Amino acid sequence: MSNAPEMKVSQEEMKKARIPLEYRDYCAHLLIPLNKCRGETFYLPWKCENERHIFEKCQYDDYKRRMLVLKKAKEAEE
């Protein structure tokens, strides 16, 4: 994965923020403020919409990037 984005938070920062292992990906730097906002607003669904949208967009873009890498790997095998 030569075009993989760089991690913007360290493992220690993610551990301190109590990010679950399955969410410690390239979008973890956006999950930290989202979880903080959620905690401050008691997870009200109409709060933190902007943070949630930015995090979900990052997740989607990362998914598209990984699928493109997989597609190129499969084409290289053929």
Side-chain angles (χ1 to χ4, degrees), residues 28-72:
H29 66 285
L30 299 171
L31 185 58
I32 294 170
L34 174 59
N35 283 344
K36 182 179 179 188
C37 178
R38 286 173 169 170
E40 292 170 352
T41 59
F42 304 105
Y43 283 82
L44 293 173
W46 58 89
K47 301 286 184 173
C48 311
E49 289 179 341
N50 189 44
E51 291 90 343
R52 183 174 50 89
H53 175 73
I54 292 170
F55 174 71
E56 290 174 351
K57 173 79 165 88
C58 180
Q59 290 279 307
Y60 176 68
D61 290 343
D62 187 45
Y63 171 78
K64 287 193 326 186
R65 181 192 57 80
R66 288 184 285 119
M67 291 302 107
L68 184 61
V69 169
L70 180 64
K71 181 181 176 184
K72 287 179 180 179

Side-chain angles (χ1 to χ4, degrees), residues 9-30:
V9 291
S10 67
Q11 288 292 331
E12 279 300 315
E13 291 171 311
M14 289 186 276
K15 184 178 179 181
K16 183 179 176 186
R18 297 184 299 156
I19 303 293
L21 289 175
E22 61 268 16
Y23 289 103
R24 294 183 185 189
D25 58 8
Y26 296 111
C27 299
H29 66 285
L30 299 171

